[in-house]
């Protein structure tokens, strides 16, 4: 269903005389099915850049899995990756936040004892059990990097988060984090979840960057790890349906045949085209 342009101008705070920052999640927002950014989406992003505005990417992906799915110029923009665990500004690491190794080791032991699928994601390395899972294969296809032979290799460099691919363990981890400085980000569409340091999220990462006034920041996302962005920033656009996000999102773009046209219309409305 097409979005009414008047609805957008009524719900979004748009000042056409200011330089804006556009914040884009990747998967389920502008990247689909794990495939590289499509040319049609890149064209819209380039129009934003050519109009003099800033683009920031904010993704739960690792840097390793982010770079291969976007054109080179995209990976050169300021970026928040690992769901906020690592912030890149002007091509340099600005901030990074790691899980406590002793707590991470405790989580890994539980997951190993229960024969679970999981992924420990670090700065240079990643680790998962020697089991078959589509995500493990996708990482190799996308990045060409194979897993570390032992989880200790990741711990030595620092781990930003642990992704638990079996959501049957969600209740256990909700109890586990109750008295620890940890937070869970549940991925609604993939039925899995990240465990990260409590203060880490995309908005906290974004806040490490030089930003305009809040009304001049436009956020595009689709899942739980976009929640703080949409809570804190007034101009938020949600893709698909997410019960928590819909409380804050000003515009909703459905996953239907009109998705790209609606996305284009939203961008053009913000740009004043």
């Amino acid at each position: 269903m097409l979005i009414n342009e008047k609805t957008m101008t009524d719900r979004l705070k748009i000042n056409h005389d200011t330089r804006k920052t556009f914040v884009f999640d990747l998967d389920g927002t502008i990247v689909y099915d794990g495939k590289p950014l499509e040319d049609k989406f890149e064209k819209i992003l380039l129009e934003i850049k050519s109009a003099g505005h800033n683009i920031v990417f904010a993704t739960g992906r690792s840097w390793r899995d982010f770079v291969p799915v976007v054109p080179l110029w995209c990976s050169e923009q300021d970026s928040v990756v690992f769901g906020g665990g690592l912030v890149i500004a002007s091509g340099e690491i600005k901030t990074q936040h790691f899980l406590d190794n002793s707590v991470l080791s405790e989580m890994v032991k539980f997951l190993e004892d229960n024969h679970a699928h999981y992924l420990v994601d670090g700065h240079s390395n990643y680790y998962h059990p020697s089991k078959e899972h589509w995500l493990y294969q996708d990482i190799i296809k996308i990045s060409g990097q194979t897993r570390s032979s032992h989880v200790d290799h990741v711990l030595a460099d620092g781990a930003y988060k642990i992704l638990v691919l079996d959501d049957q363990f969600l209740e256990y981890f909700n109890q586990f984090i109750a008295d620890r400085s940890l937070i869970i980000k549940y991925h609604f569409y993939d039925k899995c979840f990240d465990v990260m340091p409590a203060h880490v999220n995309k908005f906290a990462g974004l806040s490490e960057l030089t930003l305009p006034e809040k009304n001049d920041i436009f956020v595009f996302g689709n899942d739980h790890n976009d929640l703080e962005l949409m809570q804190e920033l007034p101009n938020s656009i949600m893709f698909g349906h997410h019960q928590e996000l819909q409380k804050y999102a000003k515009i909703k773009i459905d996953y239907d045949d009109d998705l790209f046209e609606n996305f284009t219309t939203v961008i053009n409305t913000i740009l004043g085209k």
Side-chain angles (χ1 to χ4, degrees):
M1 185 175 70
L2 292 174
I3 299 175
N4 184 290
E5 189 169 337
K6 185 177 185 303
T7 299
M8 284 184 280
T9 54
D10 287 345
R11 295 182 181 179
L12 299 176
K13 301 178 186 299
I14 305 172
N15 182 349
H16 293 299
D17 297 324
T18 58
R19 188 179 188 189
K20 300 167 183 59
T21 292
F22 291 74
V23 182
F24 292 104
D25 170 50
L26 291 183
D27 295 279
T29 300
I30 58 173
V31 166
Y32 290 89
D33 302 320
K35 297 176 182 177
L37 182 75
E38 293 182 58
D39 290 345
K40 62 182 182 181
F41 280 101
E42 183 187 6
K43 181 175 181 292
I44 298 297
L45 299 184
L46 287 170
E47 288 177 4
I48 293 171
K49 291 289 289 181
S50 65
H53 304 292
N54 294 326
I55 290 177
V56 175
F57 295 99
T59 177
R61 283 179 178 249
S62 65
W63 183 253
R64 173 198 66 244
D65 296 330
F66 165 52
V67 172
V69 299
V70 296
L72 177 62
W73 73 266
C74 292
S75 63
E76 294 171 343
Q77 307 307 299
D78 291 351
S79 302
V80 177
V81 295
F82 292 103
L86 173 65
V87 179
I88 304 288
S90 301
E92 302 288 340
I93 293 176
K94 186 168 180 64
T95 60
Q96 52 187 336
H97 305 280
F98 300 114
L99 286 164
D100 178 86
N101 278 0
S102 62
V103 175
L104 180 57
S105 296
E106 191 175 347
M107 291 190 285
V108 168
K109 183 180 186 308
F110 169 83
L111 292 165
E112 287 287 341
D113 290 346
N114 286 274
H115 310 289
H117 285 290
Y118 67 92
L119 178 76
V120 180
D121 232 335
H123 180 65
S124 304
N125 302 298
Y126 70 97
Y127 176 82
H128 60 71
S130 55
K131 299 168 64 177
E132 291 296 323
H133 191 280
W134 65 265
L135 180 65
Y136 306 154
Q137 299 304 316
D138 273 8
I139 291 173
I140 296 174
K141 289 177 185 176
I142 291 169
S143 69
Q145 182 181 347
T146 57
R147 73 185 182 110
S148 294
S149 58
H150 197 279
V151 69
D152 286 348
H153 298 159
V154 184
L155 299 181
D157 273 349
Y160 298 108
K161 62 189 178 77
I162 182 167
L163 171 64
V164 181
L165 294 159
D166 296 318
D167 72 349
Q168 63 178 303
F169 300 114
L170 182 59
E171 183 177 350
Y172 169 83
F173 277 94
N174 275 326
Q175 295 176 3
F176 181 84
I177 71 169
D179 57 351
R180 296 175 173 86
S181 296
L182 299 169
I183 190 172
I184 285 174
K185 286 296 178 184
Y186 184 73
H187 300 288
F188 173 76
Y189 294 100
D190 294 320
K191 310 301 181 189
C192 58
F193 58 94
D194 290 313
V195 184
M196 306 186 299
H199 60 285
V200 170
N201 59 70
K202 289 184 180 180
F203 177 73
L206 185 70
S207 299
E208 299 286 345
L209 301 173
T210 301
L211 299 170
E213 294 295 320
K214 284 188 174 184
N215 285 347
D216 292 324
I217 304 173
F218 294 81
V219 175
F220 298 76
N222 78 316
D223 211 347
H224 187 212
N225 63 5
D226 300 306
L227 180 61
E228 287 84 2
L229 287 171
M230 295 196 180
Q231 285 176 325
E232 298 291 339
L233 298 169
N235 291 315
S236 52
I237 296 91
M238 176 181 70
F239 285 69
H241 173 77
H242 192 284
Q243 189 171 352
E244 287 185 277
L245 297 190
Q246 71 178 3
K247 300 175 187 175
Y248 306 99
K250 300 300 188 299
I251 300 293
K252 180 175 179 288
I253 296 178
D254 290 322
Y255 289 133
D256 60 21
D257 292 341
D258 296 319
L259 183 149
F260 184 72
E261 184 173 350
N262 282 328
F263 174 67
T264 303
T265 302
V266 170
I267 298 296
N268 286 343
T269 301
I270 297 168
L271 296 181
K273 295 175 67 175

